[in-house]
Amino acid sequence: MARAKIAFVSLGCDKNLVDSEVMLGLVEEEGFEIIPDESEADIVVVNSCGFIMDANQEAIDNILRIADYKSDGNLKGIIVTGCMAQRYKDEIFDSLPEVDAVVGTGDFEKIGEVIKKIADGQKQVKLITDNNNALLEENSLKRKISTLGGFAYLKIAEGCDNFCTYCTIPSLRGKYRSRTIESLVDEAKMLAQNGVREIILVAQDTSLYGIDIYGKKTLPKLLRRLSEIEDVKWIRLMYCYPENVTDELIEEIYQNSKVCHYMDMPVQHADDLILKRMGRRGTRKELESVVNKIREKMPDFCFRTTLIVGFPGETEEQFFNLVDFIKKMRFDRLGVFTYSREEGTPAFDMPNQIDEDLKQKRKDYIMEIQKNISAEKCESFVGKTLEIIVEGKTEGEDNIFCGRSYRDCYEIDGFVFFESDKEIIAGDFLCVKITGASDYDLIGVIECEFAE
């Protein structure tokens, strides 16, 4: 098959998206044509998530949908990469005969070799060797950015050593492996040269960065080095485990003008016994301490967190301990997941599994509380001026644009909406004076353009 047409479907988390972007660059380098339309593709690569069963189902639904193109279009092969491929490497061909190849989480850099085999007519190709393989530094620079709006993710480490009792990631992604500061700076420079102004740092635990290769937590040093890149304006931190947030990191955020006063800190729960059974290392007192320490130093700091309700054995009293914690800490952004019982995890066999309806009721209860907290937080910004990065024009509205402040991470947080008769480019920075607020979003008017 000469110059096969390849389409990609990237599912799951932002870390998976980075892998997809690396694969896009490698596939293009091999001489294949990348196209956006799956119906016109010769081969479709589905970069799957397999973290929880809902993610597996999403991948399966996409595979079955794409498989229709084998009879109705040009499609010759489906390649599944990512976590679901790693998790079900021994069952996937029997369960999903529509799949022609599986590639493990440590082998995605060899995607070009697999595509060639499928293009040559081979079936049931399996490439799953070692999920502890490290990304080759030169391949990170071949990455093809797929995000719009002047931002990109920078994956600073792979894998996880935390072994939370509900989580499959260590078995899917291997041990925690930091990339070198030099390789990350080189990649960030490449991103900046391609118009990226905001870099969002991601890993399973960004706050643990460097412990494996430098012998200590080195995130503050990485932040300093990244901030030296002239065209990078914002650096945003995701997935900082509270027990690994050091005084040095807090001081670096405080001193470094390019680091957003924002942190995604997944606490998961606040009852000490539940935390212990989850395999989390902190206590409620320690969680409160680190949040309060940061807020004391930076009163404008924005915290995002995630919680799990309905963990096996979670009593009503333990649930309301969590509720009390939420009311007390008043996180700016908060997401709630119902516990997902995953085979291969210690929590799968724990007694006193919680009924799904009760899990959902507990989730809804917390989200109603959080909606009110969020609305009050948003209202407090009316009359203030915020710097925003423009995301684009609102669909269906001629002159209404949206952007994100330092408080808003792409796709998971709110927007700042504003009106303009001019055509504004995604990725531009503006100053917007806030004139109104909703539960999660802000409304404002442009106060100055091209904020520095």
Side-chain angles (χ1 to χ4, degrees):
M1 188 187 298
R3 193 164 166 74
K5 297 177 181 179
I6 315 298
F8 272 76
V9 176
S10 189
L11 305 173
C13 67
D14 40 39
K15 298 174 285 294
N16 219 36
L17 178 62
V18 174
D19 292 348
S20 294
E21 292 178 341
V22 172
M23 283 192 281
L24 281 167
L26 294 173
V27 168
E28 193 170 66
E29 184 185 49
E30 292 276 2
F32 297 107
E33 182 182 355
I34 305 294
I35 63 169
D37 189 349
E38 301 152 17
S39 67
E40 297 297 323
D42 298 305
I43 295 171
V44 176
V45 179
V46 179
N47 194 17
S48 65
C49 177
F51 176 50
I52 58 175
M53 293 312 299
D54 285 350
N56 288 321
Q57 189 59 52
E58 182 186 20
I60 291 167
D61 291 344
N62 272 275
I63 291 165
L64 295 178
R65 174 182 60 79
I66 292 164
D68 289 341
Y69 297 130
K70 286 189 174 181
S71 55
D72 300 338
N74 302 315
L75 191 66
K76 303 298 189 296
I78 299 174
I79 300 172
V80 180
T81 64
C83 287
M84 192 183 82
Q86 186 76 34
R87 187 172 184 178
Y88 297 107
K89 56 184 179 293
D90 297 323
E91 299 96 353
I92 198 165
F93 288 135
D94 290 334
S95 301
L96 289 167
E98 297 85 356
V99 174
D100 299 285
V102 291
V103 180
T105 57
D107 299 286
F108 70 89
E109 292 171 85
K110 298 175 184 175
I111 187 66
E113 298 176 16
V114 178
I115 288 175
K116 288 175 183 176
K117 290 180 180 180
I118 300 305
D120 288 340
Q122 295 188 41
K123 299 294 181 183
Q124 295 198 347
V125 175
K126 182 189 290 188
L127 180 59
I128 298 181
T129 58
D130 185 357
N131 63 1
N132 286 306
N133 288 334
L135 177 68
L136 295 176
E137 293 184 8
E138 60 266 28
N139 285 342
S140 70
L141 300 178
K142 298 170 184 175
R143 175 181 167 190
K144 191 176 180 68
I145 304 165
S146 62
T147 50
L148 303 174
F151 81 95
Y153 299 104
L154 184 64
K155 184 159 68 167
I156 66 175
E158 181 61 274
C160 187
D161 291 342
N162 287 321
F163 296 100
C164 299
T165 60
Y166 52 81
C167 185
T168 58
I169 292 298
S171 64
L172 301 178
R173 290 283 177 174
K175 64 184 181 182
Y176 192 87
R177 329 188 275 291
S178 303
R179 291 178 53 196
T180 66
I181 288 177
E182 288 72 21
S183 70
L184 292 167
V185 170
D186 287 345
E187 184 174 346
K189 287 179 179 178
M190 178 273 292
L191 295 174
Q193 289 167 3
N194 283 277
V196 171
R197 306 293 307 283
E198 177 189 10
I199 290 178
I200 305 174
L201 303 192
V202 295
Q204 289 305 131
D205 180 358
T206 55
S207 48
L208 198 60
Y209 172 76
I211 192 74
D212 53 321
I213 57 175
Y214 299 119
K216 59 180 260 185
K217 298 166 190 171
T218 321
L219 184 56
K221 183 177 180 181
L222 175 62
L223 292 174
R224 285 194 294 276
R225 290 288 303 278
L226 293 174
S227 68
E228 293 169 2
I229 302 172
E230 184 177 355
D231 290 333
V232 171
K233 186 171 177 63
W234 280 359
I235 303 170
R236 188 181 299 275
L237 283 173
M238 300 295 288
Y239 318 127
C240 292
Y241 279 50
E243 63 269 22
N244 293 323
V245 175
T246 62
D247 290 345
E248 184 185 5
L249 176 58
I250 296 171
E251 185 64 25
E252 180 61 32
I253 297 171
Y254 176 69
Q255 296 287 347
N256 194 325
S257 62
K258 289 190 177 183
V259 181
C260 295
H261 285 189
Y262 176 104
M263 182 182 290
D264 181 296
M265 181 188 287
V267 301
Q268 310 303 17
H269 214 280
D271 181 85
D272 287 353
L273 183 56
I274 293 292
L275 286 168
K276 184 176 181 181
R277 295 179 69 230
M278 283 181 165
R280 307 286 291 191
R281 293 194 293 277
T283 64
R284 171 172 174 168
K285 183 178 180 180
E286 290 167 343
L287 292 175
E288 292 180 0
S289 175
V290 69
V291 171
N292 289 334
K293 183 184 294 186
I294 293 173
R295 282 178 170 165
E296 184 177 343
K297 197 170 189 71
M298 293 168 275
D300 65 338
F301 206 88
C302 179
F303 280 102
R304 157 166 279 280
T305 195
T306 49
L307 307 171
I308 297 173
V309 294
F311 189 77
E314 182 189 58
T315 65
E316 186 171 308
E317 180 183 0
Q318 289 167 334
F319 171 70
F320 279 103
N321 283 343
L322 176 60
V323 171
D324 178 71
F325 172 76
I326 294 161
K327 290 179 176 178
K328 181 178 180 181
M329 302 314 295
R330 294 177 59 82
F331 290 102
D332 303 82
R333 314 292 194 191
L334 185 146
V336 184
F337 297 93
T338 57
Y339 165 73
S340 178
R341 191 181 183 190
E342 299 299 320
E343 288 186 281
T345 64
F348 181 84
D349 295 318
M350 287 183 179
N352 302 315
Q353 298 284 330
I354 306 295
D355 178 78
E356 292 297 327
D357 288 342
L358 181 55
K359 291 179 192 177
Q360 189 61 45
K361 286 178 182 178
R362 289 178 174 178
K363 172 183 176 178
D364 293 343
Y365 188 91
I366 288 178
M367 287 310 300
E368 187 62 29
I369 293 170
Q370 180 60 31
K371 183 174 77 170
N372 294 329
I373 293 172
S374 177
E376 291 172 9
K377 294 262 187 178
C378 287
E379 186 66 32
S380 71
F381 281 88
V382 174
K384 297 179 181 179
T385 297
L386 291 173
E387 187 173 33
I388 69 159
I389 183 170
V390 177
E391 196 148 291
K393 188 176 287 187
T394 304
E395 189 174 349
E397 301 285 348
D398 287 340
N399 300 319
I400 306 299
F401 292 79
C402 65
R404 295 180 292 106
S405 74
Y406 79 94
R407 303 176 69 248
D408 307 306
C409 190
Y410 175 75
E411 214 169 40
I412 57 174
D413 293 326
F415 289 109
V416 179
F417 293 98
F418 60 95
E419 188 173 356
S420 176
D421 295 328
K422 298 179 181 179
E423 194 61 35
I424 299 174
I425 299 172
D428 281 352
F429 280 81
L430 304 173
C431 290
V432 173
K433 185 171 183 178
I434 306 305
T435 57
S438 65
D439 291 341
Y440 299 103
D441 301 313
L442 300 174
I443 302 164
V445 295
I446 297 175
E447 196 167 75
C448 63
E449 297 186 23
F450 310 114
E452 293 299 330

